[in-house]
C-alpha cells in the first residue's frame, strides 16, 4: 500500500504504460484520476478498478489544452479532496522523418502533446500540491531524451523528451522547499500501441537492449510507483532510466 489514500492524476491512461500504472496505483491504495482522449477506454479502466475495490474517476480530454490540465486537478479536488501526485505520462511519437523532411505541423504537435502539456500540468498541479503541503510530479520521458544513440527520425520526439528532463529539474529547484519533488522516467522499448504490433519490429527493438527484450508496461509502472511514492522521498530532479540498458549500449 505504497500510495495509501494518496490522490494521483495519471494521463495517457487509456492504454499502455498509463493504464498499467492506474491499475497498479489503485491496487497500492491510491485514489486515481485518469485522463486521455478515448473516453470509452477510460470508462472501462475505471470500472475495472472499482470492481477490484479501488477508487477511480476519469475525465476525457486533450492534454494540448490548458483547460484540460485544470479539469483534471479540479476533479481530484472535488472527488477526493486534493492532489498528492501526478504521473504526466501521455505522449506521441509523431512522424519520424529526418528534420529537413519534417513538416512544421508535426514538430508543433509533438512539442505540444509531449512538452507543452507538461508545462500546463505542472502549472496547475503545483498550487494544488502546495495546499497539501507537498507532492510528487513525474513526467514520462524516454531513453532518447537522454541519449539518442544514433537513432534516426527522433528529432521532434527527442527534443520534447529532453525538454521534460530540464523542466523537471527546474521544478525541483523551484518547489523543493514546498515539499514537492519532480522527476522524469526514461523507459526503454515497451510493448504498447506506440511500439506497434509487428513481431519483426519488436524483435529488432528487443535486440537493441542488453536485456534482449522489450519491457512490459507493468514494469515501467513499477518504476513510476517508486518515483511517486514515499519510497523515493529524497529523489528529486532525477532522470531515472528504466530502459533494459539500451542507453548504455547506444551511448
Ligand atoms: N512504448 C515505448 O517504447 C516507450 C518508450 C519510452 C517512452 N515512452 C513514453 O511512454 C508514454 C506512454 O506511452 P505508451 O508506450 O504507453 O503508448 P500508448 O499506449 O500509445 O499510450 C499513449 C497514451 O497517451 C495518450 N495521449 C496521446 N495523445 C494525447 C492527447 N493529445 N491528449 C490526451 N492524451 C493523449 C493516449 O490516449 P488517447 O489516444 O486516448 O488520447 C494514450 O493513453 C509516452 O509519453 C511515450 O512517449 C514509450
Amino acid at each position: 500500500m505504497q500510495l495509501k489514500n494518496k490522490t494521483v492524476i495519471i494521463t495517457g491512461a487509456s492504454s499502455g504504460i498509463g493504464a498499467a500504472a492506474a491499475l497498479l496505483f489503485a491496487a497500492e491504495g491510491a485514489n486515481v484520476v485518469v485522463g486521455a482522449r478515448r473516453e470509452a477506454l477510460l470508462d472501462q479502466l475505471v470500472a475495472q478498478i472499482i470492481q477490484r475495490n479501488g477508487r477511480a474517476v476519469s475525465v476525457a480530454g486533450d492534454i494540448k489544452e490548458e483547460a484540460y490540465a485544470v479539469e483534471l486537478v479540479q476533479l481530484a479536488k472535488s472527488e477526493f479532496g486534493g492532489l498528492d501526485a501526478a504521473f504526466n505520462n501521455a505522449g506521441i511519437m509523431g512522424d519520424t522523418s529526418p528534420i529537413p523532411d519534417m513538416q512544421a505541423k508535426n514538430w508543433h504537435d509533438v512539442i505540444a502533446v509531449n512538452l507543452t502539456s507538461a508545462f500546463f500540468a505542472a502549472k496547475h498541479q503545483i498550487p494544488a500540491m502546495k495546499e497539501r503541503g507537498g507532492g510528487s510530479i513525474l513526467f514520462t520521458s524516454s531513453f532518447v531524451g537522454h541519449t539518442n544513440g544514433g537513432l534516426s527520425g527522433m528529432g521532434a520526439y527527442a527534443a520534447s523528451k529532453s525538454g521534460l528532463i530540464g523542466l523537471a529539474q527546474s521544478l525541483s529547484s523551484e518547489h523543493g522547499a514546498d515539499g514537492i519533488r519532480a522527476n522524469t522516467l526514461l523507459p526503454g522499448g515497451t510493448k504498447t500501441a506506440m511500439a506497434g504490433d509487428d513481431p519483426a519490429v519488436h524483435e529488432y527493438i528487443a535486440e537493441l537492449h542488453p536485456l534482449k527484450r522489450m519491457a512490459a508496461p507493468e514494469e515501467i509502472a513499477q518504476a513510476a510507483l517508486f518515483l511517486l511514492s514515499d519510497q523515493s522521498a529524497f529523489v528529486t530532479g532525477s532522470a531515472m532510466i528504466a530502459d533494459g540498458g539500451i542507453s548504455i549500449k547506444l551511448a
Side-chain angles (χ1 to χ4, degrees):
M1 284 291 172
Q2 291 187 49
L3 292 172
K4 193 169 165 51
N5 295 328
K6 300 277 189 196
T7 298
V8 187
I9 288 172
I10 304 157
T11 65
S14 59
S15 62
I17 294 167
L23 290 168
L24 176 65
F25 298 176
E28 291 289 338
N31 310 313
V32 299
V33 177
V34 293
R37 290 166 302 179
R38 287 170 292 174
E39 195 166 14
L41 291 176
L42 293 179
D43 289 345
Q44 280 173 27
L45 178 66
V46 167
Q48 199 178 354
I49 290 170
I50 290 170
Q51 197 183 21
R52 296 177 183 185
N53 296 320
R55 290 175 301 276
V57 289
S58 69
V59 59
D62 190 327
I63 55 164
K64 294 201 292 293
E65 305 296 331
E66 182 169 5
Y68 185 47
V70 174
E71 219 178 335
L72 285 161
V73 172
Q74 278 173 350
L75 186 59
K77 286 184 176 180
S78 62
E79 283 290 326
F80 301 120
L83 180 68
D84 302 293
F87 185 27
N88 299 300
N89 162 75
I92 54 170
M93 175 73 74
D95 291 345
T96 53
S97 319
I99 292 294
D101 301 330
M102 188 179 287
Q103 299 297 316
K105 183 182 181 316
N106 179 68
W107 174 270
H108 289 306
D109 282 351
V110 171
I111 298 296
V113 174
N114 292 357
L115 185 56
T116 309
S117 70
F119 159 71
F120 292 147
K123 183 174 164 61
H124 297 287
Q125 290 163 0
I126 282 171
M129 289 179 185
K130 275 186 172 179
E131 287 170 16
R132 291 284 242 217
S136 179
I137 293 183
L138 179 60
F139 301 114
T140 306
S141 176
S142 162
F143 69 94
V144 301
H146 162 65
T147 176
N148 173 267
L151 296 178
S152 61
M154 293 287 143
Y157 186 73
S160 70
K161 295 298 186 181
S162 298
L164 291 172
I165 296 172
L167 175 63
Q169 289 179 355
S170 296
L171 294 171
S172 302
S173 302
E174 289 168 8
H175 297 288
D178 300 318
I180 296 171
R181 300 185 294 110
N183 294 290
T184 43
L185 178 59
L186 280 59
T190 307
K191 280 194 180 176
T192 67
M194 185 172 279
D197 54 10
D198 181 343
V201 173
H202 283 188
E203 199 176 323
Y204 168 75
I205 297 172
E207 270 305 305
L208 294 172
H209 297 70
L211 289 182
K212 298 297 174 199
R213 63 180 181 86
M214 294 176 72
E218 291 77 14
E219 293 176 291
I220 306 303
Q222 288 286 353
L225 172 64
F226 170 73
L227 288 168
L228 288 166
S229 74
D230 290 343
Q231 294 284 326
S232 61
F234 206 59
V235 181
T236 194
S238 152
M240 192 176 111
I241 294 168
D243 72 353
I246 190 170
S247 55
I248 294 164
K249 193 171 169 202
L250 293 175

